[in-house]
Amino acid sequence: MKLDLSILVFGCFSFFTKYLDQKSITNAYVSGMKEEIGLLGNELNYLTAIFWASYCTAMIPTCYFITQYPANIVLPSLELGWGLATFGLAWAQNVNTLYAMRFFVGLFECASFAGTIYIIGSWYKPSETARRVALFYISSLLGTMFAGYLQAAAYTNLNGVNGLSGWRYCNEFDNWRMEDWHPGIRWLFIIDTIITLGIALFGFTFFPDIPARRKPLLLSHAEHTLARKRLVGYTAPPGLKLSRSIFKHVLRRWHFYAFVLLWTLMDLNGQIGGQPFSLYLKAYSPSVYSVVQVNTLPTIGTACSIVGALLAGIAADRIGNFWMPAMATTLLLMVGTIMLVVWNIGETGRLVAFILEGFVGPISPMAMSWATVTMASDAEERAVVTASMNSIGQAITAGVQVVMYPATGAPRWVSSFKANLGLNIVQIIGIMAIVYLGRRETDTKVTETDMEAAIVTGGDGVQDHVQKVL
């Protein structure tokens, strides 16, 4: 309980605000920012790409800082920097300022995910990991979901409060005139900043460092000793020193390639239920969907992700594997993609298809928990691979999204939907490949352990025992 309060309260609220901010950009765009700032063509895609470029570039170097310096100082400090950069978004008057602020937001956000996952993997047993990673992950989905309702509420209640000029909304979208526009809101980013200050303060006070370095505030000395003893035989002591040899070691093993590939496929397949869904709704606004509906309908898909991630995390811990929940959610995702490829299924059918894309959510905690447990005995590899999964996967997706789902392509991206269907199939193959490689590795370790036992036993029966093992 104390570990959960120390780690998950800070981690979940921190991740919540990160995705509240990410979704806020899209919500602001479809609610009036495009017209006020004067965004042209695919500049929304470029804003997203700049964010992910700084985020992903800084991700792997955070391995060094998290392993060399106190995590309870590094992560809350980055949280403060993130809050200041987000506050700058509230006052942007042109697209160049938005580009600069999104760069710094991505830079300060780089350790939020990988850093918290690393700390979770440092304090919990393998059988305790999946549901906690799932709970941590759904905080991002809640941020995405809450952003839609917050934008809708702000649109209704905060326009022009205290004289703040902000995103503007047209009362009449047909034949509109400049005088028809009224002040909107920049409150989304201000609210993000206010929440962040409290989260950072909590982190400085309660968030723990790795077990081997210092005792968390909420744990007594006896409890700290117990927490460390629980991990013996499960998790390698994470007193790490990263060097070139570590990266050579990582790149020689299958873990890096398999888990980075799975995470990248998940990111690519998760695109449809995000920004493209909002752009689809925006394309039919206000004739079919109101501004409030444009902001709130995508939250239904997010709710599917939340429920799916929680159920998948609980199931994975109970049944002792990650591939079954991952496979089940991938199949649901594929159904939605097939419906979008067909397209002529009516407006309700297309909404259902976009909502089904939300089931990509459970893949994230399954993949990260799977990687964490698989590499539990090698803390250095775990730190590098989990950071690489997120950074490489997001970097590839950020670049591809501009091509696959440009804002100018809304509401239908024919070739991209077909490409995602192919990627769904590759994702299934990737899941099965990890199952095979993991079982082969386990069998190899068991064989090596039996041989060592035979040699230690000695006596006349050594040769017979070794031969039997072989």
Side-chain angles (χ1 to χ4, degrees), residues 225-244:
T225 300
L226 173 62
R228 296 176 65 176
K229 286 183 177 179
R230 291 175 69 250
L231 301 173
V232 175
Y234 292 104
T235 304
L240 307 179
K241 292 186 180 299
L242 297 181
S243 63
R244 289 183 181 179

Side-chain angles (χ1 to χ4, degrees), residues 38-270:
L39 297 180
L40 303 173
N42 294 319
E43 286 182 333
L44 174 63
N45 299 94
Y46 302 149
L47 282 169
T48 302
I50 285 176
F51 166 84
W52 288 118
S54 62
Y55 177 89
C56 297
T57 301
M59 174 73 69
I60 295 178
T62 60
C63 290
Y64 176 81
F65 291 102
I66 297 298
T67 58
Q68 294 295 306
Y69 300 100
N72 58 318
I73 301 298
V74 173
L75 292 181
S77 296
L78 290 172
E79 189 77 11
L80 280 179
W82 184 90
L84 293 174
T86 301
F87 189 66
L89 285 169
W91 310 104
Q93 299 295 325
N94 54 62
V95 70
N96 290 331
T97 304
L98 287 175
Y99 285 147
M101 289 300 100
R102 292 306 288 170
F103 174 86
F104 284 110
V105 167
L107 186 67
F108 287 116
E109 188 173 328
C110 67
S112 177
F113 184 78
T116 305
I117 290 292
Y118 180 75
I119 294 299
I120 290 175
S122 298
W123 283 95
Y124 294 103
K125 294 179 181 180
S127 61
E128 302 165 342
T129 300
R131 58 185 180 272
R132 287 173 172 83
V133 173
L135 183 61
F136 170 60
Y137 170 74
I138 67 166
S139 63
S140 67
L141 301 176
L142 288 170
T144 300
M145 190 174 183
F146 186 69
Y149 295 112
L150 182 60
Q151 174 72 75
Y155 170 75
T156 304
N157 302 311
L158 290 177
N159 285 325
V161 171
N162 291 333
L164 287 176
S165 86
W167 317 133
R168 304 182 178 193
Y169 308 85
C170 183
N171 293 325
E172 298 292 338
F173 280 77
D174 295 324
N175 302 318
W176 66 271
R177 300 170 300 167
M178 183 61 70
E179 55 265 32
D180 291 327
W181 290 73
H182 58 82
I185 56 100
R186 295 178 188 267
W187 284 95
L188 282 176
F189 302 114
I190 296 174
I191 292 171
D192 286 354
T193 303
I194 293 171
I195 296 173
T196 297
L197 296 177
I199 295 170
L201 180 61
F202 181 93
F204 282 123
T205 308
F206 296 108
F207 192 71
D209 194 8
I210 59 176
R213 236 177 348 229
R214 62 178 298 179
K215 181 185 77 68
L217 180 65
L218 288 184
L219 297 188
S220 67
H221 288 286
E223 289 167 338
H224 185 220
T225 300
L226 173 62
R228 296 176 65 176
K229 286 183 177 179
R230 291 175 69 250
L231 301 173
V232 175
Y234 292 104
T235 304
L240 307 179
K241 292 186 180 299
L242 297 181
S243 63
R244 289 183 181 179
S245 62
I246 296 301
F247 290 95
K248 290 181 180 179
H249 167 68
V250 168
L251 294 175
R252 281 198 294 259
R253 307 187 72 181
W254 65 266
H255 303 143
F256 175 87
Y257 305 99
F259 285 113
V260 168
L261 175 62
L262 179 59
W263 191 271
T264 301
L265 290 168
M266 178 206 70
D267 280 339
L268 291 171
N269 287 324

Side-chain angles (χ1 to χ4, degrees), residues 2 27 93 102 143 180 236 240 276 317 359 366 390 397 404 411 459:
K2 289 183 177 181
N27 286 341
Q93 299 295 325
R102 292 306 288 170
D180 291 327
L240 307 179
D317 279 344
F359 280 101
M366 291 302 96
N390 200 26
T397 304
M404 287 186 69

